[in-house]
């Protein structure tokens, strides 16, 4: 069974640009969450989608957005990039997104903003 | 608000030594508690979990017990191996539902032969 797949693995952008990251969950998983990982702030929750609906949102500015498609694949978008957006972005999927359910993480997309 | 605090690293041990990584959480609601592990260049993997007080999670020789009275979920292993070298994250679910997790800062473990 394939794991969670994130593309691309690495990205280099400049300030002011926008970026789209992609996540393909494990087959059959309907919940997809996104986390930002930085050395200074650690792991922070961005948002969670279930059946194409955003159910949870973290404390990030509106420049961070996401969506989920009918096949459960998810994308997140960051507009008007800032230097502080440089981070490892992790996607995680689970069957239903119920509390306590195991999350399966992808290897992440490493975003560098210059 | 909800938070998780874990001991700062790095923790450096010799092979076969005993490991403890402390983790405490804010006592709001009835959270599920987790330990995730991250190996270099990879995403996080669930190591173990506990969903209610006095539950003990265990996996690959690692154990942690959900202690409501001390709001703790300390990770232990009796004999570490070099292959256990990684970053360990303690996490809890957010009060209010669904599976949003709050993570601790992570503890880097280095095990030497």
């Amino acid at each position: 069974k394939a794991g969670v797949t994130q593309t691309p693995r690495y990205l280099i952008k400049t300030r002011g640009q926008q970026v789209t990251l992609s996540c393909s969950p494990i087959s059959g998983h309907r919940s997809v969450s996104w986390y930002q990982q930085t050395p200074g702030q650690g792991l922070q929750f961005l948002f969670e989608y279930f059946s194409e609906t955003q159910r949870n949102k973290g404390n990030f500015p509106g420049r961070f957005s996401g969506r989920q498609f009918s096949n459960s694949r998810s994308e997140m978008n960051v507009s008007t990039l800032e230097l502080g957006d440089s981070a490892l972005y992790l996607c995680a999927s689970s069957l239903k997104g119920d509390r306590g359910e195991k999350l399966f993480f992808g290897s992440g997309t490493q975003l560098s903003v210059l | 608000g909800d938070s998780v605090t874990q001991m700062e690293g790095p923790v450096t041990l010799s092979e076969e030594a005993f490991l403890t990584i402390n983790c405490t959480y804010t006592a709001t609601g009835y959270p599920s508690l987790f330990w995730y592990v991250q190996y270099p260049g990879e995403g996080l993997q669930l190591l173990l979990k506990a969903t209610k007080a006095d539950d003990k999670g265990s996996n690959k020789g690692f154990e942690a017990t959900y202690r409501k009275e001390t709001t703790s979920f300390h990770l232990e292993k009796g004999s570490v191996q070099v292959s256990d070298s990684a970053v360990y994250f303690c996490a809890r679910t957010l009060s209010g539902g669904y599976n949003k997790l709050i993570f601790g800062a992570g503890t880097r473990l280095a095990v030497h032969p």
Side-chain angles (χ1 to χ4, degrees):
Chain A
K1 199 173 189 181
V4 177
T5 304
Q6 292 188 245
T7 56
R9 187 71 179 90
Y10 300 95
L11 263 179
I12 299 176
K13 293 287 187 179
T14 56
R15 278 182 301 174
Q17 287 187 310
Q18 75 163 21
V19 67
T20 299
L21 312 181
S22 179
C23 172
S24 294
I26 290 174
S27 178
H29 285 193
R30 295 169 64 190
S31 170
V32 174
S33 301
W34 289 88
Y35 288 81
Q36 181 196 64
Q37 186 177 22
T38 60
Q41 299 296 318
L43 280 152
Q44 294 185 287
F45 174 80
L46 280 156
F47 25 66
E48 186 248 353
Y49 288 88
F50 180 82
S51 291
E52 302 178 66
T53 300
Q54 186 182 91
R55 292 197 301 193
N56 267 305
K57 191 176 191 308
N59 296 324
F60 279 82
R63 300 185 297 107
F64 291 81
S65 62
R67 59 178 175 168
Q68 186 181 33
F69 302 95
S70 58
N71 62 358
S72 293
R73 191 177 71 83
S74 176
E75 291 181 346
M76 68 163 282
N77 185 77
V78 188
S79 62
T80 320
L81 284 165
E82 300 178 359
L83 295 179
D85 297 333
S86 295
L88 179 67
Y89 289 88
L90 292 167
C91 166
S93 76
S94 65
L95 208 56
K96 294 182 289 183
D98 291 342
R99 290 183 80 240
E101 201 174 44
K102 178 179 178 179
L103 292 179
F104 292 81
F105 283 83
S107 297
T109 293
Q110 183 68 54
L111 172 65
S112 297
V113 182
L114 307 178
Chain B
D2 297 330
S3 68
V4 173
T5 304
Q6 60 182 108
M7 63 188 287
E8 289 187 25
V11 173
T12 304
L13 296 173
S14 298
E15 207 166 22
E16 299 183 4
F18 184 84
L19 168 71
T20 299
I21 301 178
N22 291 337
C23 171
T24 56
Y25 62 93
T26 47
T28 50
Y30 302 92
S32 295
L33 302 174
F34 307 83
W35 278 101
Y36 278 84
V37 59
Q38 187 176 32
Y39 297 100
E42 298 183 13
L44 280 69
Q45 301 175 25
L46 178 66
L47 183 58
L48 52 85
K49 72 174 189 179
T51 56
K52 62 183 188 299
D54 299 325
D55 269 2
K56 177 187 279 189
S58 62
N59 185 27
K60 299 180 182 178
F62 291 90
E63 292 184 341
T65 301
Y66 191 140
R67 303 280 189 203
K68 190 177 179 185
E69 63 278 9
T70 54
T71 63
S72 65
F73 192 56
H74 304 323
L75 182 68
E76 295 182 337
K77 186 176 185 182
S79 176
V80 294
Q81 305 299 313
V82 172
S83 57
D84 294 327
S85 298
V87 181
Y88 293 80
F89 293 91
C90 184
R92 60 157 286 170
T93 47
L94 178 71
S95 300
Y98 301 127
N99 216 12
K100 174 180 172 179
L101 297 183
I102 304 293
F103 285 89
T107 302
R108 183 174 299 278
L109 170 66
V111 181
H112 299 290

